[in-house]
Amino acid sequence: MIIIQLNQRQQKIIEIVKENQPITSENIASMLNVTRATLRSDLAILTMTGILDARPKVGYFYTGVNQINLLGNDIKEKKVEDMMGMPVVVKKDVSLYDVIVEMFLSDVGSIFIIDDQENLCGVVSRKDLLKATIGGLDINKMPIGMIMTRTPNVVTVKREDSIVLAARKIIEHEIDSIPVVDMDDEHNVTKVIGRISKTNITKLFLEIAGE
Amino acid sequence: MIIIQLNQRQQKIIEIVKENQPITSENIASMLNVTRATLRSDLAILTMTGILDARPKVGYFYTGVNQINLLGNDIKEKKVEDMMGMPVVVKKDVSLYDVIVEMFLSDVGSIFIIDDQENLCGVVSRKDLLKATIGGLDINKMPIGMIMTRTPNVVTVKREDSIVLAARKIIEHEIDSIPVVDMDDEHNVTKVIGRISKTNITKLFLEIAGE
C-alpha cells in the first residue's frame, strides 16, 4: 500500500475540474498559468487514483470518488491469523470467582468458555462479571456456564478472515474482543485458537500511522 | 489522503531499479519492452511517492523508503476533538455501587471522577470496579475516591492533540479510554470535556479501510 498526499496544484486541479467539467488539459494549464507538460504527472496521478476520469477528445471529469475507498489491498488483506493473540479459555463448570481471578492473572477483558469436549460454548466479558458480582450471586459457587453468553450467540471469526471483518464484528456487536475459531461442522467441532481485540486494532492503527 | 495500489508494472519497475540502480528510463523501458512515454506516469507516481529518486543525467534510484511511513497528513492531523465522545463523570464521594450503575446505564468502560470544583481528580475502569467488588469492600458505602486512579497518575489528552497521540497513550498505558481535558494551569483548572476510547480508534480504522 502506498499512501500519498496530494500537493497544492493537484488539489487546485481537482477544484478546477469540479467546476468546469469536462475540461481539457490545455484549459486546465491555461487556468493555472503552466504548460501542459508541467501538468502531465499531476494528471497521471489524479486519473490513476480514480479522482479524475479522462475521456479522449472530451476532457477530464471529476468522478466524485470517495477518496477513503481507494485503500490499497495491504490493510484489507491483512488476516486475522497475522495478528491474533493467545485466547484465554476456561471450562464451563469453573466458578465465577476463579474466572475473575484468571481474568486478572492473564489481563484480558474477555474469557472464552469451553465444554467437556473443549469446544467453544460461550464467552464472558468484564462487564458480565461485574454485573454478576453486584447481582448478589454466590461467585464462589456459581459456575461460569450459568452467566456466559452462549453459542450460537457468540460472534466468531476464522483465521483466514480479514482483520477488517473482525473489526466490523467488534463494532457491530459492541464487544471488546472476538474469539478466532477452527470449525469442523461435520464433526461438530469448534476449537478456539486465538483472539482479536480492540487493542490489536488500535495497535494496527498506530502501525498504519507510521508509529 | 489518497491511498493507491501500485499496479504490476510499477512493482516491476521498482524491482528493476532495485537491482540496476542507477538506471535511466530508456533502460527501464527496454527491459520492459515498452516505450518511454508509456512509463512516464508510472515513473511520476513512483518518484512522487518517494519510492524512487530521479537524478538528472544519472537515472533512477530506489530510496528504500518505508512505504507505510508515506501516510498522508489526514490521519496524522486528525484531532482528538474531531472524534471524541461524551465523557461520563461522577463526583468523588459517590459510592462504588452508584458508579457501577452509572457505568451500566451509560455503557462505558471508564468513568472520570471530579472533585468539588468539578476538576478531574481520578478515573476508574471496569477492571478497578471488578477488583473492588470481589475484594470484600462495602460497595454501597465506600466512595469511589477511595479506589480510583488519581491525578497526576491519570493519562489525559487535549482537544487539539492528534488521534494518533491518543491511540499511542492508550496502548502505552494499557487503558481502554482516555479523558480529554481543558487545562488552565494558572488557575489550577482541569475540566473533562470528552473521551477517546479504543472503540473510537477501531471505528476510525474501519473508516480508513473504506467500510
Side-chain angles (χ1 to χ4, degrees):
Chain A
M1 184 184 62
I2 305 294
I3 308 177
I4 58 175
Q5 182 68 18
L6 293 187
N7 65 31
Q8 276 200 326
R9 192 167 63 212
Q10 289 158 352
Q11 286 168 3
K12 264 192 206 154
I13 293 171
I14 292 174
E15 289 312 308
I16 289 172
V17 174
K18 265 189 191 171
E19 284 165 25
N20 303 284
Q21 60 186 341
I23 179 169
T24 62
S25 59
E26 288 91 334
N27 288 339
I28 299 172
S30 78
M31 286 176 83
L32 287 171
N33 260 329
V34 296
T35 65
R36 279 177 72 192
T38 307
L39 290 187
R40 197 169 286 132
S41 65
D42 293 329
L43 288 169
I45 281 161
L46 293 172
T47 51
M48 177 169 172
T49 53
I51 298 168
L52 298 187
D53 188 22
R55 291 188 213 153
K57 296 184 188 168
V58 182
Y60 287 88
F61 288 85
Y62 177 67
T63 60
V65 65
N66 182 349
Q67 300 186 3
I68 219 83
N69 283 334
L70 295 166
L71 184 73
N73 288 333
D74 271 21
I75 287 182
K76 290 220 168 178
E77 286 178 0
K78 197 135 197 160
K79 297 262 177 285
V80 160
E81 65 187 343
D82 300 332
M83 295 201 58
M84 67 188 187
M86 288 292 292
V88 179
V89 296
V90 301
K91 291 252 171 114
K92 67 178 184 204
D93 52 1
V94 170
S95 73
L96 297 196
Y97 182 86
D98 287 342
V99 173
I100 294 170
V101 170
E102 180 58 47
M103 185 170 268
F104 276 95
L105 291 179
S106 52
D107 200 23
V108 291
S110 305
I111 290 204
F112 308 128
I113 317 297
I114 52 174
D115 62 18
D116 294 335
Q117 285 72 48
E118 304 201 327
N119 286 317
L120 178 71
C121 65
V123 60
V124 282
S125 66
R126 270 193 202 121
K127 200 166 149 184
D128 299 326
L129 292 168
L130 185 57
K131 198 188 280 176
T133 57
I134 65 161
L137 302 179
D138 184 345
I139 62 171
N140 290 297
K141 288 206 180 132
M142 180 162 295
I144 195 67
M146 294 277 288
I147 70 147
M148 68 187 186
T149 299
R150 64 184 62 242
T151 50
N153 295 323
V154 176
V155 183
T156 63
V157 286
K158 286 183 232 130
R159 62 164 83 228
E160 66 271 20
D161 286 337
S162 72
I163 283 289
V164 173
L165 177 67
R168 196 165 63 219
K169 286 186 170 184
I170 284 173
I171 292 298
E172 271 174 11
H173 297 275
E174 300 185 0
I175 52 182
D176 283 328
S177 74
I178 192 164
V180 184
V181 296
D182 253 356
M183 292 175 86
D184 177 352
D185 288 338
E186 203 178 321
H187 299 91
N188 221 1
V189 168
T190 306
K191 298 291 178 213
V192 186
I193 56 169
R195 58 189 283 272
I196 294 287
S197 66
K198 280 192 261 196
T199 304
N200 295 125
I201 310 289
T202 303
K203 284 180 179 168
L204 180 56
F205 170 80
L206 283 175
E207 200 181 293
I208 295 169
E211 292 285 301
Chain B
M1 183 184 60
I2 305 295
I3 307 178
I4 58 174
Q5 183 67 19
L6 294 186
N7 64 32
Q8 276 200 325
R9 191 167 61 210
Q10 289 157 353
Q11 287 169 1
K12 265 193 207 154
I13 292 171
I14 292 174
E15 290 312 308
I16 289 173
V17 174
K18 266 189 192 170
E19 284 165 25
N20 303 283
Q21 61 186 342
I23 180 170
T24 61
S25 59
E26 287 91 335
N27 288 339
I28 299 172
S30 78
M31 287 175 83
L32 287 170
N33 261 329
V34 297
T35 66
R36 277 178 71 192
T38 308
L39 290 187
R40 198 169 285 134
S41 64
D42 291 332
L43 288 169
I45 281 161
L46 293 173
T47 51
M48 178 170 172
T49 52
I51 297 168
L52 298 187
D53 187 23
R55 291 188 213 154
K57 297 184 187 168
V58 183
Y60 288 89
F61 288 84
Y62 177 68
T63 61
V65 65
N66 181 348
Q67 300 185 5
I68 216 84
N69 283 333
L70 295 167
L71 184 73
N73 288 333
D74 270 21
I75 287 183
K76 290 219 168 179
E77 285 178 359
K78 198 135 196 158
K79 298 263 178 282
V80 159
E81 66 188 342
D82 301 331
M83 294 201 58
M84 67 188 186
M86 287 293 292
V88 180
V89 296
V90 301
K91 291 252 172 113
K92 68 178 184 202
D93 53 1
V94 170
S95 74
L96 298 196
Y97 182 85
D98 286 345
V99 173
I100 293 170
V101 170
E102 180 60 45
M103 186 169 266
F104 277 95
L105 291 179
S106 52
D107 199 23
V108 290
S110 305
I111 290 205
F112 308 129
I113 316 297
I114 53 174
D115 62 19
D116 295 336
Q117 286 73 49
E118 304 200 331
N119 287 317
L120 178 71
C121 65
V123 60
V124 282
S125 66
R126 271 193 202 120
K127 200 165 150 184
D128 300 325
L129 292 168
L130 185 56
K131 197 187 283 177
T133 57
I134 65 158
L137 302 178
D138 184 345
I139 63 171
N140 290 295
K141 287 205 179 131
M142 181 164 294
I144 195 67
M146 294 276 289
I147 70 146
M148 69 188 186
T149 298
R150 63 186 62 242
T151 50
N153 295 322
V154 177
V155 182
T156 63
V157 286
K158 289 184 229 131
R159 63 163 82 229
E160 66 271 20
D161 285 338
S162 72
I163 283 289
V164 173
L165 176 66
R168 196 166 61 216
K169 286 186 170 185
I170 285 172
I171 293 299
E172 272 175 11
H173 297 276
E174 299 185 2
I175 51 182
D176 283 328
S177 74
I178 192 164
V180 184
V181 296
D182 254 356
M183 291 175 86
D184 177 351
D185 288 337
E186 204 179 322
H187 299 91
N188 222 359
V189 168
T190 306
K191 297 292 177 216
V192 186
I193 55 169
R195 59 189 282 272
I196 293 288
S197 66
K198 281 192 263 198
T199 305
N200 294 126
I201 310 290
T202 304
K203 284 181 178 166
L204 179 56
F205 170 80
L206 284 174
E207 200 180 295
I208 296 169
E211 291 285 302

